Amino acid sequence: GAVVSQHPSRVICKSGTSVKIECRSLDFQATTMFWYRQFPKQSLMLMATSNEGSKATYEQGVEKDKFLINHASLTLSTLTVTSAHPEDSSFYICSARQSYEQYFGPGTRLTVT
Amino acid sequence: AQSVSQHNHHVILSEAASLELGCNYSYGGTVNLFWYVQYPGQHLQLLLKYFSGDPLVKGIKGFEAEFIKSKFSFNLRKPSVQWSDTAEYFCAVNANNAGNMLTFGGGTRLMVKP
């Protein structure tokens, strides 16, 4: 089956620093990947749609200059949280689209101190 | 814009009890419907999906869901739950005019007591 990996699984960083999270589709190519954010005990909220070779599409309320997305190849999308603050602490999940389905990565827990 | 609501936030059942989790969506057009499960410490996995055809969909691990178009519902059912079904369940909808975007419901946390 389709497998999606994320790296790192957990990261702790200091306020003001930047963190890069990678999302890879391991056994298929994905022209479209999605980035979600999940707060404790809440559902997934779509942050942006990442399209290979073009700019990401951000959902309303998501700061594109803060959450930089790069989809440089058909198997890799990256999310960079720039100048992270404690309120950015969350669980970030990516998914990769194959046909009409999305396959989810295991998530990355970001803690900003 | 489409929205998805799951009425039960927390459900506690004993083993062998029957399960039904509600899911309603708001969108008048054609939709694709999904149920995902997230076991503790694991990532989201697809339980079942509906695109077209028979509105009663059977998924993995004995789960099934019924699409009732007139009620805008896609409830998840299982006749007899097991302790290993303890997890969080998410209903998701993709409207045909929303590209590949999924809108998730708030999730239902199921605890099955042994």
Side-chain angles (χ1 to χ4, degrees):
Chain A
V3 179
V4 177
S5 70
Q6 278 184 246
H7 177 80
S9 57
R10 289 178 179 269
V11 57
I12 302 173
C13 70
K14 291 187 177 180
S15 188
T17 61
S18 295
V19 174
K20 181 187 282 188
I21 303 170
E22 293 185 348
C23 176
R24 292 182 187 272
S25 55
L26 296 185
D27 49 3
F28 66 102
Q29 293 182 330
T31 55
T32 304
M33 293 184 174
F34 301 89
W35 287 96
Y36 295 86
R37 188 171 177 176
Q38 186 179 27
F39 290 100
K41 300 184 181 180
Q42 293 188 33
S43 186
L44 284 77
M45 298 298 294
L46 179 66
M47 297 174 66
T49 301
S50 170
N51 298 298
E52 188 269 335
S54 64
K55 290 183 179 180
T57 304
Y58 290 81
E59 295 301 300
Q60 193 172 11
V62 178
E63 298 174 61
K64 59 182 66 177
D65 294 330
K66 181 167 187 62
F67 298 100
L68 301 178
I69 291 172
N70 184 283
H71 194 154
S73 78
L74 289 171
T75 59
L76 172 65
S77 175
T78 61
L79 168 69
T80 301
V81 183
T82 63
S83 187
H85 288 96
E87 57 264 30
D88 298 324
S89 297
S90 191
F91 195 55
Y92 293 87
I93 303 172
C94 75
S95 71
R97 183 181 70 88
Q98 185 182 52
S99 186
Y100 290 105
E101 293 188 31
Q102 290 186 33
Y103 296 88
F104 289 83
T108 296
R109 186 162 301 283
L110 170 63
T111 303
V112 185
T113 61
Chain B
Q2 61 202 45
S3 65
V4 182
S5 62
Q6 292 180 238
H7 319 296
N8 318 100
H9 299 295
H10 289 92
V11 173
I12 302 174
L13 295 172
S14 298
E15 276 196 315
S18 64
L19 169 72
E20 180 159 2
L21 302 181
C23 172
N24 285 87
Y25 65 93
S26 66
Y27 179 69
T30 305
V31 292
N32 299 318
L33 300 157
F34 305 81
W35 273 98
Y36 287 90
V37 60
Q38 189 173 29
Y39 296 103
Q42 297 188 30
H43 59 279
L44 282 166
Q45 300 173 44
L46 181 67
L47 264 183
L48 48 78
K49 63 192 178 195
Y50 172 81
F51 288 166
S52 64
D54 188 345
L56 183 62
V57 179
K58 294 193 183 299
I60 61 171
K61 303 187 181 185
F63 286 91
E64 65 178 32
E66 185 174 13
F67 171 49
I68 303 180
K69 190 174 181 179
S70 61
K71 295 184 177 180
F72 298 90
S73 70
F74 190 55
N75 292 357
L76 180 71
R77 299 195 293 250
K78 185 170 183 178
S80 176
V81 294
Q82 300 172 314
W83 175 78
S84 57
D85 293 324
T86 294
E88 188 150 18
Y89 294 81
F90 294 93
C91 179
V93 173
N94 164 242
N96 274 7
N97 73 345
N100 299 294
M101 192 182 84
L102 281 177
T103 299
F104 282 84
T108 298
R109 194 174 293 272
L110 171 66
M111 179 183 292
V112 180
K113 298 184 293 184

